[in-house]
Amino acid sequence: MPTDSPAPADTPRTPPAPAERVPAPAPERAAHRDPGPGPTLRDSDAPAPDAPRGYRAVFAVVEFRAVFAAHLLSLLGVVVSELALTVLVYDLTGSPLLSALTFALGLLPYIVGGTLFAGVADRYPARRVLVVCDLLCAACVAVMLVPATPVAGLLALRCLVAAVAPVFTGTRMAALTDILGEGDLYVLGRSLLRIVSQSAMLIGFGAGGVLLTVLSPRGAITVTVVTFLCSAALLRFGTRDRPARATTGDGGGTLLKESLSGARLVLGDRRIRALMLLFWLPAMFVVAPEALAAPYADAIGAPPAALGLLLCAMAVGHIGAELFVGSALSPRNRSRIVLPVAAVGLLPLLVYVVRPGLPLALAALALAGAGAAYVIGLDQWFVDAVPQELRGRAMTLLTAGLMTVQGLGMALAGLAAEFFPVHQVVAGSGIIGTVCTLLLVAEVRRTAPGRMSDTEGRDGADRHVTSR
């Protein structure tokens, strides 16, 4: 399945009674309390002397290698198909609007699929959900290849694939805690999938352009069918079959009720809501320079090749920073940098106030991309905050919301650029986003374990549910 973005775990909510003897934890699961605002961290960064460390330790897990390969294949296929489908729609209609809408429809259905179908992630075994999602998407893309499929049908199929994507991604992210555990291996595994997602955007569009020089648009789309089928095979035969996390009655109505109630429970918990917003909010503002890259390149008189550089700079910064943080910092230090880096991550966009030339703009974008590395530590906080029975629904909602707010951020940036110069819009995004993030950082600190009791968190969730 196409996306990754931006998984909960089952963390004990109350300590045992003082008189109760608690067995000592296994060495790889020993925990320490981080003095910062995050939750308990698991010290899986202290393996045996001869054991692989860092990212190598993640690749040592056979099941993860299957998940990683499936993600890489399907993601590259989807990026190629997005480009090819856009060209196909333009060839059939000659309409720039419908061609652009093809891209937009890759984002808009996320909130629908992530809200209405989130219950699938917890109600059914993860491997079955992942394989069925891949096969469903392969079938949708195969229908796109039929010459008789009208443009409206192509767009509808695009919507269906996008609606399935958050369910797949949320299920896979939750399943990683079963495959890698809930500590450092999980965090590094999520980091690798994000790095692949960023890299695929750089490689996939280039590969798609090359394919379209030798294949028709429908021929290039065929690649996606193959990648979905390969992904399904890797997940089916490369991962273990595990039971569902939560099972309740049958029927679509019950599934819809579970999905909506899961969303209410997740968003109604003050701590989980604050952490989820810390994923979403900076992402909403940081997309402004990418959304306005073309008009900005035109405004500063940059050559056509500059547009590609402006679109790649942020991804390059993100990949480099995430690799450094994931490999060079311990879990404790990754936790410590979450809030400071999140607070200043959008400040590089303020350079746009002076309408910088290409070199300075590229440097600012790379720094803004590097600021996204705070999510490595945030992943662990989210794991510790969400109970196991809500894991799949929480991650599905997180993914859907992340894609939705990025689409909204692009749209708002484009709207603002109709009334203000592009460089002022980008700088304004940095200012407004920083102020909002600082307010959110304060809320995350207030909800840190030890500063907000479990009773307060449960009461907040109860108030939210009853108010609905």
Side-chain angles (χ1 to χ4, degrees), residues 281-282 285-286 342-343 346 427-439:
L281 194 63
F285 290 97
V286 81
L346 294 171
S429 296
I431 295 171
I432 298 171
T434 298
V435 171
C436 293
T437 303
L438 287 173
L439 295 174

Side-chain angles (χ1 to χ4, degrees), residues 281-427:
L281 194 63
M284 178 178 177
F285 290 97
V286 81
V287 297
E290 291 182 324
L292 300 175
Y296 187 73
D298 181 64
I300 62 175
L307 177 58
L309 295 175
L310 289 170
L311 290 173
C312 292
M314 198 173 291
V316 171
H318 186 173
I319 293 170
E322 184 134 5
L323 282 172
F324 172 78
V325 172
S327 58
L329 300 186
S330 67
R332 180 187 290 270
N333 288 330
R334 289 200 294 265
S335 179
R336 285 174 171 167
I337 70 169
V338 170
L339 297 185
V341 173
V344 303
L346 294 171
L347 289 180
L349 299 185
L350 300 187
V351 170
Y352 275 75
V353 168
V354 299
R355 199 167 177 256
L358 185 62
L360 187 55
L362 292 175
L365 291 175
L367 284 174
Y374 76 92
V375 299
I376 301 182
L378 187 59
D379 276 333
Q380 183 66 68
W381 294 7
F382 201 64
V383 163
D384 291 337
V386 182
Q388 183 178 6
E389 63 272 14
L390 287 176
R391 181 175 299 169
R393 283 169 285 182
M395 294 311 303
T396 301
L397 184 62
L398 173 63
T399 302
L402 185 60
M403 298 300 291
T404 301
V405 298
Q406 288 183 86
L408 180 60
M410 291 180 179
L412 291 175
L415 179 62
E418 292 289 326
F419 303 96
F420 303 98
V422 171
H423 70 282
Q424 292 181 7
V425 173
V426 176

